[in-house]
Amino acid sequence: MSSSSSPETAAEGVGGKDYCAFCEMTKQHATGCSRRLPKRIILVRHGESQGNLDMSAYSTTPDYRIPLTPRGVEQARAAGRGILDVVSSSSPEGGPDPNWKVYFYVSPYERTRATLRGIGAAFPRDRVIGAREECRVREQDFGNFQVEERMRAIKETRERFGRFFFRFPEGESAADVFDRVASFLESLWRDIDNGRLDQTTSCETNLVIVSHGLTSRVFMMKWFKWTVEQFERLNNFENCEFRVMQLGPGGEYSLLMHHTKEELEDWGLSPEMITDQQWRASANRRSWSEECSSFIATFFDNWNDRPEDEDCQEEDDGAEIKSLEE
């Protein structure tokens, strides 16, 4: 996962650590950079909760205290076994990888912490680097105690208004969640730079974020630079469904390193979003300006791209008319 730094991409930074201007500007990984990135970032939604079964639970129990159902506990344990299989069977030879480790971030809600406990039951203690509660990956705030009939009406209004910008009374919009997820990502990059996610230089670190459906979709939106319109296309995670962002040979994370094109289609990704994931999974890097242009067609309808000889002809015609007038 590490590589030697090059003069073009890295220089000595604070505390003698390598500093990569490209990585700092783009929050992506430059070829030749010595920054050690997690091999995978795995986003997990919590298991089935009491609120998923019965919305009236929110009228008597604060959202952050809503527990998992027995089925949700079993889902968490199954997700743990699934994640273990992903992170432990990835050596270049195709067999078990002897150097893998995991680090967990978890939302402070009861249902996510219980999901983490279920997931953790699948892992040996010596494979877990650490775990941290992270408030910025908590659920979207829908207000305090939620009256069921009122919330149904509000959610119907949200469908008409748009999921991203609609703000719940006394709560948050998805745009508010985006802002705190962006703040979390800045902290995550500092954790990476300071080596908090690594134990040794030989281990392959897997970062697992146990969170909520909308928060996880917003995380991907921020990471992959998806637009609001593209976010609105996305389908929610199922309970304890996880999505794997894996580091490709070109230094970019992609969903297509682990998942299939058909899965991405089912999740609501558009053809251009899938094309971008295919590029990220390849070994071919583009320049920063080209990377920024991944979805440029979503912003413009047409271009004034006329052949250069037409422009020259117009200039000549303009000069000729001016001389006749004189």
Side-chain angles (χ1 to χ4, degrees):
M1 185 164 58
S2 64
S3 59
S4 59
S5 59
S6 66
E8 291 80 7
T9 60
E12 188 173 309
V14 179
K17 294 189 175 184
D18 287 326
Y19 168 86
C20 177
F22 181 91
C23 290
E24 286 304 311
M25 180 178 70
T26 66
K27 300 307 181 199
Q28 301 295 338
H29 196 41
T31 304
C33 174
S34 64
R35 170 180 271 167
R36 288 178 50 79
L37 297 180
K39 184 168 186 177
R40 300 176 189 85
I41 300 174
I42 302 175
L43 305 172
V44 191
R45 186 189 176 197
H46 60 80
E48 180 186 76
S49 72
Q50 193 60 44
N52 294 140
L53 285 185
D54 182 7
M55 282 186 62
S56 66
Y58 296 108
S59 64
T60 57
T61 306
D63 193 0
Y64 71 94
R65 291 182 179 173
I66 295 289
L68 292 182
T69 64
R71 181 168 182 260
V73 173
E74 290 303 316
Q75 288 174 334
R77 291 172 178 165
R81 294 190 293 271
I83 294 170
L84 175 65
D85 183 62
V86 170
V87 303
S88 63
S89 57
S90 57
S91 70
E93 294 76 22
D97 188 337
N99 298 319
W100 64 269
K101 300 282 186 177
V102 291
Y103 191 100
F104 294 97
Y105 285 95
V106 62
S107 157
Y109 282 38
E110 169 57 31
R111 57 187 179 272
T112 43
R113 289 178 62 97
T115 299
L116 175 59
R117 287 192 291 272
I119 290 172
F123 290 85
R125 173 63 186 89
D126 63 352
R127 293 292 187 171
V128 180
I129 299 172
R132 184 183 307 173
E133 183 177 281
E134 176 51 69
C135 285
R136 289 170 293 183
V137 297
R138 69 187 184 275
E139 175 66 289
Q140 179 182 6
D141 189 349
F142 299 108
N144 296 319
F145 292 109
Q146 302 166 28
V147 179
E148 183 177 359
E149 290 305 316
R150 178 171 179 262
M151 286 302 295
R152 289 187 189 278
I154 290 173
K155 288 184 177 181
E156 288 176 3
T157 304
R158 178 183 63 173
E159 292 303 314
R160 298 197 306 271
F161 189 91
R163 285 178 170 268
F164 189 76
F165 290 113
F166 180 84
R167 178 175 285 110
F168 283 83
E170 302 175 351
E172 290 182 304
S173 66
D176 296 323
V177 178
F178 182 95
D179 291 341
R180 55 177 162 87
V181 166
S183 171
F184 165 63
L185 281 172
E186 293 298 323
S187 299
L188 176 59
W189 280 96
R190 286 194 294 272
D191 285 345
I192 291 171
D193 287 340
N194 292 327
R196 295 180 186 134
L197 308 184
D198 288 321
Q199 282 186 323
T200 67
T201 56
S202 63
C203 77
E204 293 285 3
T205 303
N206 298 272
L207 178 62
V208 181
I209 303 174
V210 185
S211 183
H212 307 265
L214 181 134
T215 308
S216 297
R217 301 198 310 274
V218 166
F219 183 100
M220 292 190 294
M221 175 190 183
K222 170 62 178 171
W223 191 282
F224 293 126
K225 304 178 182 66
W226 291 338
T227 65
V228 171
E229 182 179 357
Q230 289 167 335
F231 169 83
E232 296 277 5
R233 295 177 52 94
L234 302 176
N235 299 317
N236 198 10
F237 290 40
E238 299 293 335
N239 290 121
C240 270
E241 182 181 6
F242 60 87
R243 299 182 184 175
V244 181
M245 298 164 49
Q246 184 166 321
L247 195 63
E252 300 282 351
Y253 286 93
S254 173
L255 294 165
L256 281 174
M257 291 295 295
H258 177 78
H259 301 287
T260 66
K261 179 181 177 182
E262 289 71 27
E263 286 179 298
L264 271 61
E265 290 173 345
D266 289 341
W267 299 342
L269 274 72
S270 67
E272 63 181 354
M273 295 164 76
I274 293 174
T275 297
D276 182 67
Q277 292 296 314
Q278 290 171 331
W279 163 72
R280 290 174 182 274
S282 73
N284 300 316
R285 284 204 60 88
R286 295 179 291 189
S287 70
W288 169 235
S289 60
E290 290 175 318
E291 199 277 331
C292 279
S293 301
S294 297
F295 306 121
I296 200 165
T298 65
F299 300 103
F300 301 97
D301 293 323
N302 51 66
W303 301 99
N304 185 22
D305 289 336
R306 295 179 297 178
E308 290 185 6
D309 55 351
E310 286 187 15
D311 293 336
C312 293
Q313 182 62 46
E314 286 189 4
E315 290 178 4
D316 293 342
D317 292 343
E320 184 176 348
I321 291 172
K322 185 177 180 180
S323 64
L324 292 172
E325 291 175 346
E326 292 175 350

